[in-house]
Amino acid sequence: MKECILKQLFGLPAPHFSYLKNIDPGLPLFLFNYSNRELHGIFEAESSGEMNINPYAWTSDGSGRTQFPAQVQIRVRLQCQPLPESLFKPIILDNYYTENHFLFELDHVQAGNLISKLSSLVFSPISCMPQNTAKWRSIIQGLPGPGNREENGHLEPQDKENFANSLDMDENFGGGDIFLCSNGGNQQLVAPLDNQAELDDTDLSGDSINGHAEDSTIAVMTATINDVKIGQEAFQKAQIMREEKNEDSSSDLAVYPAIITQLLQGIEELKASREEQTHKMCSLRQKLADAEEEIKQLKYRFVMPESSYPSCQLADETVFEAVDKVQLAPESIFLVGGYDGVSWLSTLESYSPSNDVLKSLKPMNSVRSYASVAKLCGELYVFGGRTGRLWFDTVESYSPADNEWTLRSSLNTKKGTLAGATLKDKIFAIGGGNGIDCFSEVEMYDPEVGRWIPTRSMWQKRFSLAAAELNGALYAVGGYDGSNYMATAERFDPREHSWTKIKSMSTSRGCHALAVLDGKLYAIGGYDGSTMVPSTEIYDPRVGAWMVGEPMEHSRGYSAAVVLKGSIYVIGGVQSDEEVVDVIEYYKEGQGWQTSNLKGIGKRCFCSAIVLTDD
């Protein structure tokens, strides 16, 4: 804690940079102490989130590389007495999902109320006061932005030392602290593993694209400060109050009630503004839904003859009846759910690379991403996944013959980012996780029994793994075990009914794709623990070893891969900068990877893809 204050720096593990990069200068930060469940404040982001501002911070002697390279510079905005849970709990009551556990995501009203409450408990030694009071006031009047920094807005070195030393007298700054910050309203969460019982997972627009916990003692939460006008007023009033206190401490009792009254008035104004914004947002969402429906129908008109449209029917009925009459191309790739850079999807679409046409089919019963897909008896099975903070155990199958979805028996455990494959007319759901735990368990669906049966578990827990069937055996490759991304792989032999460790890859990876081509496994792209990679490794079971193959032209993870007519197609995904990819690359033995000019699908990630017909 001392080092954070002296160096004016907070940090997170590298995989969480996707959250930290959303932090802008001027955003307030709070601190939650796990030991005594008190909330501290008020800190402020002094920089945008960056990698390795200080690559040696929080190490024993400064000689090793930091475990927390995703960093943001901070300053002390107000030093306040900590809030016990009895005081801050009513403010964030909507975030509690058990008696003692709550989500660390703040909306602008909650952030404003916390700032107000902490500002009423401000204390600060005289030595911590900025020397240039006029300049300090000018800084407080508006939240700073990039290129508009005031040097005297920082604590001077001696002031930082005084404040850090004051922490020695305050046992509230103990181990297991959590940093909270507000950054633009994104609902995102990074959970430290040793405190995961306290945490939950959230939407990407809200979730993390990488979405995996690392060992640490800190977590980043989000809220909106640009809308928290009350925060600026609270800072300004509290600072003036501090100055008056130093001049004449007897005036405190007269100042506090007036400030609190103004703060409460500001909160009421903020509530009214929020209601107005909510009304506008609902209107915009409705317009967006109408536009999406119109676009969907235009797609159908493009791929279907006009004569196939019945007259005088509702829009949805028109769409799905028309699709029933369309003969799907034999080389169709089915794309299931995911995220298109704007919306989370419940869609099912058929894509033909030969003519670059995407056809919308009947959607699933719910929005679903991070799911797995497998084929069985000519149907497509989708199982597990998540949307927002909800993890699924639901399973549904799609029949191309009648364009209908059928609900099937649920998995035994709610989970997502799992792998799936079909072996001997049975579907295997392999590994996965639920935002708290990673699983090694495997479930098998037997259509004759009509339910999922627990079967032999893998040797290792694997989240964000990839799996495939090859030569009558299942292969589970890579993934995240709760602490690290792995290069290990395992094979399941149904005759021996056991998993066997095979030779590891040269690169650790998760969030990758796995494809089978010409009797070999291709592990493609993914995330290695610090960045998305373009690399490809090839496993030949006859040799029993992995070989480094030609890399793709684009680094990406969370992509979908299928094999069609002797080529591997890699569709969509996410780059290291969180940009959703719209590029399709394809690989053919002897020709290497090539970037196509196919644009029919557009941006897509976290989706599943499968080809129902065999080459």
Side-chain angles (χ1 to χ4, degrees), residues 25 31 52-53 74 137 181 227 237 305 348 366 468 486 494 505 508 538 551:
L31 180 83
N52 288 310
I53 295 175
I74 62 99
R137 279 186 176 176
C181 73
D227 295 329
K237 296 298 182 182
L348 172 68
S366 62
M486 302 179 293
M505 297 179 289
S508 299
I538 307 167

Side-chain angles (χ1 to χ4, degrees), residues 412-433:
N412 295 301
T413 305
K414 294 182 178 181
K415 52 192 168 186
T417 321
L418 69 168
T422 303
L423 176 64
K424 296 187 179 297
D425 296 325
K426 296 177 178 63
I427 298 175
F428 289 79
I430 306 168

Side-chain angles (χ1 to χ4, degrees), residues 285-403:
R285 285 174 178 167
Q286 183 59 49
K287 291 180 180 179
L288 178 61
D290 293 343
E292 287 176 345
E293 182 60 37
E294 184 176 353
I295 291 171
K296 187 186 294 184
Q297 295 199 34
L298 287 173
K299 284 183 180 180
Y300 288 119
R301 290 187 179 276
F302 177 73
V303 299
M304 291 186 294
E306 261 184 58
S307 59
S308 67
Y309 284 90
S311 59
C312 302
Q313 292 204 15
L314 296 176
D316 286 347
E317 296 174 344
T318 301
V319 168
F320 298 135
E321 182 171 349
V323 170
D324 290 342
K325 298 181 180 181
V326 174
Q327 181 67 39
L328 294 174
E331 72 276 11
S332 293
I333 299 171
F334 289 87
L335 296 172
V336 185
Y339 180 69
D340 64 2
V342 178
S343 304
W344 297 91
L345 307 172
S346 62
T347 56
L348 172 68
E349 293 160 311
S350 172
Y351 177 69
S352 174
S354 61
N355 53 19
D356 198 20
V357 170
L358 188 70
K359 297 180 182 179
S360 294
L361 306 174
K362 187 170 184 177
M364 294 180 288
N365 292 291
S366 62
V367 173
R368 195 188 297 257
S369 60
Y370 300 96
S372 191
V373 63
K375 59 183 178 181
L376 181 65
C377 302
E379 294 193 0
L380 179 156
Y381 281 71
V382 182
F383 42 97
R386 60 170 280 198
T387 179
R389 294 191 296 268
L390 300 177
W391 296 83
F392 295 141
D393 58 5
T394 55
V395 180
E396 48 189 319
S397 68
Y398 173 78
S399 170
D402 53 15
N403 191 36

Side-chain angles (χ1 to χ4, degrees), residues 93-107:
L93 191 59
D94 291 343
N95 289 25
Y96 276 78
Y97 59 94
T98 72
E99 180 63 26
N100 297 315
H101 301 156
F102 56 87
L103 304 176
F104 294 103
E105 51 184 3
L106 308 175
D107 61 31

Side-chain angles (χ1 to χ4, degrees), residues 25-40:
L27 302 182
L29 291 83
F30 307 94
L31 180 83
F32 175 66
N33 188 317
Y34 267 104
S35 304
N36 54 24
R37 302 188 69 81
E38 289 186 337
L39 190 69
H40 299 259

